[in-house]
Amino acid sequence: EVQLVESGGGLVQAGGSLRLSCAASGFTSDDYAIGWFRQAPGKGREGVSCITSSDDFTYYAESVKGRFTISVNTAKNTLYLQMNSPNPEDTAVYYCAADLACWMSGSNLVEFASWGQGTQVTVSS
């Protein structure tokens, strides 16, 4: 069973920076995909970014392109999301998720098999 534990959330000022981490364990293969979703109050869950363990594919939602950077340390099985220049619209619970691939429907990430508990990110204006 894949287990995912997020950390690094908190309060950040608009225009600042924050880095989220996700410690992963339980993978049965060296090939996997791992990424970030978020859910703001009163809104549906949104796919933010995804990366494959082989680093041959990355995805970013249009809303975060150029501001957020995803990376994975496969030796440590740890995923990161560097959030630069966040704005109040980025306020949400951020979830780490993993599966065999970055499953897409059109230009959007779709549901993954394994999920973390989430970490709150609040961006103040």
Side-chain angles (χ1 to χ4, degrees):
E1 179 184 357
V2 175
Q3 294 190 327
L4 305 167
V5 180
E6 302 95 337
S7 61
L11 177 64
V12 60
Q13 282 194 326
S17 64
L18 193 69
R19 189 175 81 159
L20 304 183
S21 300
C22 172
S25 61
F27 290 119
T28 57
S29 168
D30 290 336
D31 294 322
Y32 57 86
I34 192 165
W36 296 95
F37 287 72
R38 68 185 181 186
Q39 188 163 19
K43 295 188 177 181
R45 194 150 54 186
E46 173 192 20
V48 175
S49 186
C50 184
I51 188 168
T52 54
S53 58
S54 58
D55 202 15
D56 61 356
F57 178 82
T58 56
Y59 163 88
Y60 293 98
E62 285 295 326
S63 57
V64 306
K65 271 184 183 177
R67 300 187 298 120
F68 293 5
T69 302
I70 193 170
S71 60
V72 61
N73 182 327
T74 52
K76 295 182 178 180
N77 274 353
T78 301
L79 176 72
Y80 304 98
L81 185 69
Q82 179 67 41
M83 303 171 62
N84 294 333
S85 300
N87 56 58
E89 289 70 39
D90 296 317
T91 294
V93 177
Y94 283 72
Y95 297 91
C96 178
D99 210 313
L100 297 176
C102 295
W103 301 116
M104 307 285 297
S105 176
S107 60
N108 301 313
L109 284 175
V110 293
E111 289 288 320
F112 282 24
S114 303
W115 293 85
Q117 295 288 78
T119 186
Q120 175 70 46
V121 172
T122 302
V123 184
S124 63
S125 57

